[in-house]
Amino acid sequence: MIPKRDFGRTQIDALFTPRISDWQIDESFVTSYREQRRQFLLKRLQLQTKIMLIAGLTLTAFFIWVNQQPQEKIYAFKIGFLIEFFILVCSLLCKTPLGRRYPHIFFLSLSWSVTCVVQIYTAVLFNFVEPFTNIWSLMFITQATLIPVLWRSHLISQLGTVVFYLGLYLIYRPQFRYPLYFYVENGIYLFWTGIICVFSVYLYEKLKKQEFRARQELEIAQQKSEKLILNILPAVIAEQLKQEHTTTIADSFLEVTVLFADIVGFTELSSQTSPPQLVEFLNEIFCLFDELAERHGVEKIKTIGDAYMAVAGLPNHRSDHAIAIADMALDMQLALAQFSQEQNQSFRIRIGISTGPVVAGVIGLKKFAYDLWGDTVNTASRMESHGIAGSIQVCEASYDLLKEKYYLEKRGLIKVKGKGEMNTYLLLGTKTIKQ
């Protein structure tokens, strides 16, 4: 017996199961994009700290050189050392679990350690509260160039710097050295520098997000396409077609077992049932057979009207090909009986099995299909068409492989179209309990 299933499922659903809802795709996109952005932010923060350490050294060396007084040189060295210390601390913290989890916090810390530390140091030691807008602008441009993500963090960084400076101004109430227009001019330059930096980061991140979504949608489409191909062709054949870029693949197999199954009375049923309902019945039955084929490791070849064709032993060789087909045939009978009972119908199946050599492959230019050729295929078809409704008829070659493990009843010689008289057997059941 097989477990009950939803008989209303369509073939398209079966091709792409398990299905992924839109909200699951969106949630997956957000999660994966945030993770990629976080990794990008961490790498760029480490790069920025290295560049800033080098830049800080050059500026410190410059100020030590230009200042003539020893005391001024000491002050320049202390300021440079303090900034380098904070940058180095941020760099080390970015490598910790806390830094890897909250990189945006260290982004702000790195920014403010440069823009605010100098202001605090000079205000405390020298009562000097002139705004260092050149350092601020350099910091904003550096971060926008090296870390063009999280535009809100860039905006917070800039606003935080300005607010912090205004706090110092309110505390110290300094007398400015230059005319008002000088500060207004620098303020305008700083304002537009900040706006351009934030806007450029916003546009860059928007573009990268679109690219990431497009790439993810392409990957999903490729996965669906791959799944669709694997539902049409065996995996080995699909891989051959992709690698060899050919439309003709044919391989010989010395021994496989082929199954043909036909629903008895389906033609008569079609005159009593509406076409949509008829097709729905057929789809549900064949979906059951597909599940059985997957369970038993059997390769479904095709359906022809109300006939179902499958094979075991190819494209990957297996020594128990006849056993696999026999097990599937017996389960097909049970599955159809269960389905008929549930649907209040009287479906019966006629199955034919044959063992022998075949040629299998893909031919033609369009609408690829994996198919079999050879006398074994013809014999299996004849075993089905000359069989008995509700029975499984096998040829003598299949009988020889199954007689030790299955109950088979000799039907005797029957006249087979195109084959003459053949000795056939009916498969009744297994002698052992299947695990």
Side-chain angles (χ1 to χ4, degrees), residues 228-238 241 299 361-362 368-371:
L228 179 60
I229 291 173
L230 293 178
N231 275 280
I232 298 173
L233 300 173
V236 175
I237 303 303
L241 281 173
E299 192 71 44
V362 178
F368 296 140
Y370 188 66
D371 211 345

Side-chain angles (χ1 to χ4, degrees), residues 11-26 215-233 238 242:
Q11 287 176 312
I12 296 299
D13 290 336
L15 286 176
F16 297 121
T17 53
R19 299 180 67 188
I20 303 175
S21 63
D22 291 339
W23 72 266
Q24 286 175 318
I25 291 176
D26 289 340
R215 186 164 60 250
Q216 189 180 59
E217 289 175 350
L218 178 61
E219 289 175 359
I220 292 174
Q222 289 174 338
Q223 290 172 4
K224 287 186 175 182
S225 176
E226 185 75 15
K227 188 170 181 63
L228 179 60
I229 291 173
L230 293 178
N231 275 280
I232 298 173
L233 300 173
K242 288 190 291 185

Side-chain angles (χ1 to χ4, degrees), residues 98-342:
L98 186 64
R100 289 192 290 269
R101 188 171 182 180
Y102 303 107
H104 55 285
I105 294 178
F106 291 98
F107 170 89
L108 295 175
S109 300
L110 183 62
S111 175
W112 290 336
S113 67
V114 174
T115 58
C116 300
V117 166
V118 176
Q119 295 285 173
I120 295 174
Y121 190 81
T122 55
V124 171
L125 293 184
F126 309 109
N127 201 32
F128 184 80
V129 196
E130 288 287 328
F132 295 127
T133 55
N134 53 346
I135 295 180
W136 300 355
S137 296
L138 178 61
M139 189 65 199
F140 298 158
I141 293 173
T142 300
Q143 287 196 303
T145 304
L146 295 178
I147 312 177
V149 292
L150 298 173
W151 66 270
R152 291 180 179 86
S153 295
H154 286 264
L155 182 59
I156 292 172
S157 168
Q158 296 172 15
L159 292 176
T161 298
V162 175
V163 169
F164 180 82
Y165 175 77
L166 292 176
L168 283 178
Y169 176 81
L170 293 175
I171 294 172
Y172 285 90
R173 296 287 184 173
Q175 293 294 323
F176 289 128
R177 296 182 174 184
Y178 304 103
L180 179 62
Y181 76 86
F182 173 82
Y183 298 101
V184 172
E185 180 184 359
N186 283 335
I188 293 174
Y189 280 124
L190 180 67
F191 171 79
W192 282 111
T193 297
I195 291 294
I196 292 171
C197 286
V198 172
F199 190 60
S200 64
V201 171
Y202 168 78
L203 292 178
Y204 179 87
E205 187 167 18
K206 183 178 180 181
L207 176 62
K208 284 300 178 181
K209 194 172 184 178
Q210 291 173 345
E211 289 179 354
F212 187 85
R213 180 177 286 277
R215 186 164 60 250
Q216 189 180 59
E217 289 175 350
L218 178 61
E219 289 175 359
I220 292 174
Q222 289 174 338
Q223 290 172 4
K224 287 186 175 182
S225 176
E226 185 75 15
K227 188 170 181 63
L228 179 60
I229 291 173
L230 293 178
N231 275 280
I232 298 173
L233 300 173
V236 175
I237 303 303
E239 193 62 31
Q240 274 187 271
L241 281 173
K242 288 190 291 185
Q243 291 182 358
E244 297 178 10
H245 303 289
T246 178
T247 57
T248 303
I249 294 177
D251 299 306
S252 296
F253 298 87
L254 295 179
E255 189 177 75
V256 301
T257 299
V258 181
L259 174 147
F260 271 90
D262 182 75
I263 300 173
V264 179
F266 196 79
T267 304
E268 290 77 7
L269 180 64
S270 63
S271 62
Q272 305 168 10
T273 310
S274 66
Q277 186 178 10
L278 191 70
V279 172
E280 181 64 21
F281 278 145
L282 196 60
N283 175 58
E284 291 169 356
I285 292 170
F286 284 171
C287 283
L288 285 170
F289 294 170
D290 288 346
E291 290 177 356
L292 290 173
E294 185 173 355
R295 180 185 305 175
H296 292 290
V298 170
E299 192 71 44
K300 174 188 175 181
I301 299 301
K302 59 184 174 182
T303 60
I304 311 167
D306 60 331
Y308 189 94
M309 179 182 176
V311 62
L314 62 79
N316 298 315
H317 173 74
R318 57 183 296 180
S319 58
D320 62 341
H321 50 84
I323 293 174
I325 286 291
D327 288 343
M328 178 173 171
L330 292 169
D331 282 347
M332 288 168 74
Q333 286 183 326
L334 293 174
L336 189 62
Q338 177 185 330
F339 177 75
S340 297
Q341 184 179 3
E342 292 173 353

